Amino acid sequence: MTDSPAPATVTGPDEADWAAAEAAVRALAADARVLLVCHVNPDGDALGSMLGFGLGLRRLGVRHLQATFPGPPEVPDPFRWLPGLDLLVPSDEAYREPDLVVCFDAASESRLGELADRLGGPGRALVLDHHGSNTRFGDVQLVDPAAAATSVVAEELLARLDVPLDAEIAACLYVALTTDTGSFRFEATTPAVHRLAARLLATGIRPGDISRQVFDTRPFGAVRLFGEVLGRARLEPTAAAGHGLVWTYATQDDLARHDQRPYVLEALIDSVRCTAEADVACVLKQVGPTEWAVSMRSKGAVDVSRVAVALGGGGHRFAAGFTGAGDADAVVGRIRAQLDGALLPA
Ligand code: AMP
Ligand code: MN
Ligand code: MN
């Protein structure tokens, strides 16, 4: 399922949005059921903002509280130590008619898979996100395209709800912030981001330990798999009006031969996008016989979210993705064809 592209949102939530979100939480009855959902194949921001906010709701006294995401209920190894994992339930066990749904880091309902129907129930749906391509679903939207991570939005709402940061909440929000900013390297790393990081670190969390677990630990099989997949990368210097494209792909067979889980492929794009000769980097990850989850990154010449939206996905200007059908060459062909139309002004 794809969503029609929404007009790019330039402004974040206004006071009325914050007040509506705060009221939706404060109005919860003592026995209210709250369901937290994040996007399919959850990354650090999806899980971290959801679990950090969930722990905050627990501190507020919310007793009937579940967190979930679509697809197999499998948390990637780098996140298996996160506080609040006990909130997680498989999607088929999630409340059918929660009194409140809070949705994290999902740009569209399609990213919620089989859980999208939970937003149409009698309860209210609160959406916390930071994608410019957000389709504005749900009842109350806290969508800030200027925010470096959904956790930035989650932390502000927790502060408005008078939930103090503790080390458990902070660990979750810090994972979200570091994954989505590439460890404070990307453009969205504003002074406010560093001030948030300072507040989180002040709770006593250990950034070295967290980074090692999240970014710097993977099985040896994944190291060998990366070698193979990077070895077949292709450089197309003339693509994107001469700004260059570099791409590679990883098949389900690659994963099986090296006995690896799909999540290990999430880090691949970082090894590909460092290519000096290309502005745009793509990694195609096979998810079915002729289906690929595509990650795209740009260094500034191309708006890859435009490419992604045109091909049925979404994301941010310099980091976006979609699901593509066909063989790998055909999927890359469709990307290549979109690049010239997605050039940003120099
Ligand atoms: P990734 O390459 O998976 O790290 O994703 C980069 C960005 O693109 C993230 O902000 C994702 O939310 C977004 N994204 C990735 N895949 C899709 C998709 N199939 N549909 C919509 N957005 C996507
Ligand atoms: Mn995400
Ligand atoms: Mn995010």
Side-chain angles (χ1 to χ4, degrees):
M1 181 177 134
T2 59
D3 302 271
S4 52
T9 322
V10 282
T11 53
D14 60 21
E15 260 320 304
D17 297 321
W18 287 111
E22 193 184 325
V25 175
R26 291 200 188 273
L28 290 171
D31 61 349
R33 288 153 310 164
V34 178
L35 180 63
L36 312 180
V37 295
C38 69
H39 67 70
V40 66
N41 298 326
D43 52 23
D45 189 26
L47 283 170
S49 59
M50 175 169 77
L51 297 178
F53 191 78
L55 290 169
L57 288 183
R58 190 181 261 171
R59 311 276 187 268
L60 280 177
V62 176
R63 285 182 290 127
H64 304 292
L65 181 60
Q66 294 180 333
T68 191
F69 50 84
E74 193 184 319
V75 174
D77 284 347
F79 307 125
R80 287 229 176 138
W81 59 273
L82 280 176
L85 286 180
D86 59 299
L87 293 168
L88 285 176
V89 299
S91 61
D92 59 1
E93 290 174 24
Y95 301 133
R96 301 266 146 208
E97 295 198 336
D99 299 290
L100 176 68
V101 184
V102 192
C103 176
F104 297 85
D105 204 38
S108 64
E109 287 175 280
S110 66
R111 299 279 285 159
L112 302 176
E114 68 271 18
L115 289 159
D117 65 351
R118 303 304 199 282
L119 280 88
R124 307 212 78 199
L126 177 54
V127 171
L128 275 61
D129 188 34
H130 67 131
H131 290 91
S133 65
N134 188 287
T135 57
R136 303 265 149 188
F137 60 102
D139 302 307
V140 179
Q141 288 112 13
L142 297 179
V143 178
D144 186 356
T150 296
S151 66
V152 173
V153 181
E155 193 260 355
E156 168 136 19
L157 184 54
L158 287 175
R160 285 171 182 256
L161 290 165
D162 303 310
V163 177
L165 291 175
D166 60 29
E168 292 198 327
I169 295 173
C172 292
L173 299 182
Y174 188 80
V175 164
L177 194 61
T178 53
T179 48
D180 265 29
T181 59
S183 299
F184 308 105
R185 285 173 299 163
F186 301 156
E187 225 59 66
T189 309
T190 57
V193 164
H194 279 291
R195 284 194 291 271
L196 171 55
R199 288 198 295 284
L200 299 174
L201 290 172
T203 64
I205 58 171
R206 298 174 59 91
D209 290 349
I210 292 176
S211 298
R212 194 171 318 104
Q213 290 177 94
V214 172
F215 301 110
D216 298 334
T217 304
R218 67 187 65 137
F220 184 57
V223 174
R224 306 266 308 209
L225 169 63
F226 272 40
E228 221 176 284
V229 174
L230 291 174
R232 64 168 85 111
R234 303 206 204 143
L235 176 65
E236 302 184 16
T238 58
H243 293 285
L245 167 68
V246 59
W247 64 277
T248 191
Y249 63 92
T251 65
Q252 292 181 319
D253 184 59
D254 294 328
L255 285 170
R257 265 184 294 105
H258 292 280
D259 193 23
Q260 292 304 303
R261 306 293 306 147
Y263 82 82
V264 303
L265 300 175
E266 298 309 312
L268 252 180
I269 188 72
D270 291 317
S271 303
V272 178
R273 70 182 175 84
C274 61
T275 304
E277 295 87 343
D279 184 82
V280 179
C282 294
V283 172
L284 281 66
K285 296 161 277 190
Q286 190 181 30
V287 292
T290 58
E291 199 171 71
W292 304 84
V294 181
S295 286
M296 296 186 290
R297 300 291 185 270
S298 151
K299 293 181 190 146
V302 171
D303 179 350
V304 285
S305 84
R306 272 182 75 170
V307 177
V309 167
L311 299 174
H316 311 281
R317 218 154 31 130
F318 302 142
F322 68 98
T323 302
D327 64 26
D329 282 306
V331 173
V332 173
R334 290 201 285 281
I335 295 169
R336 206 184 286 117
Q338 292 291 333
L339 291 175
D340 288 3
L343 292 174
L344 286 162

